[in-house]
Amino acid sequence: MNTALVLVDLQMDYFAGGRNELVQPDLAVTRAQEALSLFREKKLPVVHIQCILLEANAEFFLPDTDGIRIHERVLPQSGEKVIVKHTPDSFFQTELQQHLESIQAKRLVIGGMMSHICIDSTARSANRLGYEVVLLGDACATKDLVWKDTLIPARTVQDTFMASLQGTFAQVVDTGRLNDLI
């Protein structure tokens, strides 16, 4: 089966000093780097998704800022597709689906940030479009959320979103299992 790695929004605004720092982004990018190395070693296709927010009220991923740069540990190499998006869903008003069709990808291995927004919407769209989705849970990161004056820790957010995607929309695995799946 033709498998492609899709790395979503591994960008500087999510790391220390960025405009929207996540919880343990370094761990997620380490796992994403491991997946990326494996795909490169096996000469499998890689797609990097880069978010640039254009709304006037956007607080991060602003055009022409360091925050939109892809993290140096997962920088695209020659021949790896970079797709810019302006919304959480990597498929919405982008060329992602057309690119995946052109390389005849049927299975997507997804990792990146943020689990509760961009990863969730991208995985669900990929499933709806008929792709087999493998989600690298340990190559994703999120942040603490607040709902009705209650703090929801990032670990709970992460676990909840991985559990909600598992089985129905994706097969959620740790990066260590990836070699057996591709």
Side-chain angles (χ1 to χ4, degrees), residues 105-140:
K106 302 293 182 204
R107 177 191 298 144
L108 305 182
V109 175
I110 299 174
M113 302 174 178
M114 288 189 286
S115 301
H116 70 283
I117 299 177
C118 299
I119 297 303
D120 180 66
S121 62
T122 297
R124 288 172 189 263
S125 284
N127 174 270
R128 178 183 52 79
L129 292 168
Y131 295 99
E132 179 184 330
V133 178
V134 176
L135 182 55
L136 302 175
D138 62 348
C140 296

Side-chain angles (χ1 to χ4, degrees), residues 105-178:
K106 302 293 182 204
R107 177 191 298 144
L108 305 182
V109 175
I110 299 174
M113 302 174 178
M114 288 189 286
S115 301
H116 70 283
I117 299 177
C118 299
I119 297 303
D120 180 66
S121 62
T122 297
R124 288 172 189 263
S125 284
N127 174 270
R128 178 183 52 79
L129 292 168
Y131 295 99
E132 179 184 330
V133 178
V134 176
L135 182 55
L136 302 175
D138 62 348
C140 296
T142 191
K143 64 181 184 174
D144 297 340
L145 298 177
V146 175
W147 178 249
K148 296 184 178 182
D149 298 322
T150 301
L151 176 72
I152 305 167
R155 179 81 260 150
T156 301
V157 174
Q158 177 73 8
D159 289 347
T160 300
F161 275 84
M162 294 302 112
S164 70
L165 291 168
Q166 169 58 34
T168 302
F169 299 101
Q171 177 185 4
V172 181
V173 301
D174 285 338
T175 304
R177 290 198 44 220
L178 187 54

Side-chain angles (χ1 to χ4, degrees), residues 40-85:
R40 287 173 175 166
E41 176 185 311
K42 293 182 177 275
K43 298 185 180 353
L44 293 171
V46 175
V47 179
H48 300 266
I49 306 295
Q50 181 183 33
C51 186
I52 301 174
L53 297 176
L54 303 177
E55 297 87 21
N57 63 345
E59 297 178 6
F60 61 99
F61 291 162
L62 305 176
D64 303 317
T65 64
D66 284 342
I68 65 170
R69 288 185 301 113
I70 294 174
H71 195 281
E72 63 186 12
R73 292 177 61 192
V74 290
L75 280 175
Q77 289 183 351
S78 176
E80 295 176 352
K81 185 74 169 171
V82 178
I83 293 176
V84 174
K85 68 179 178 80

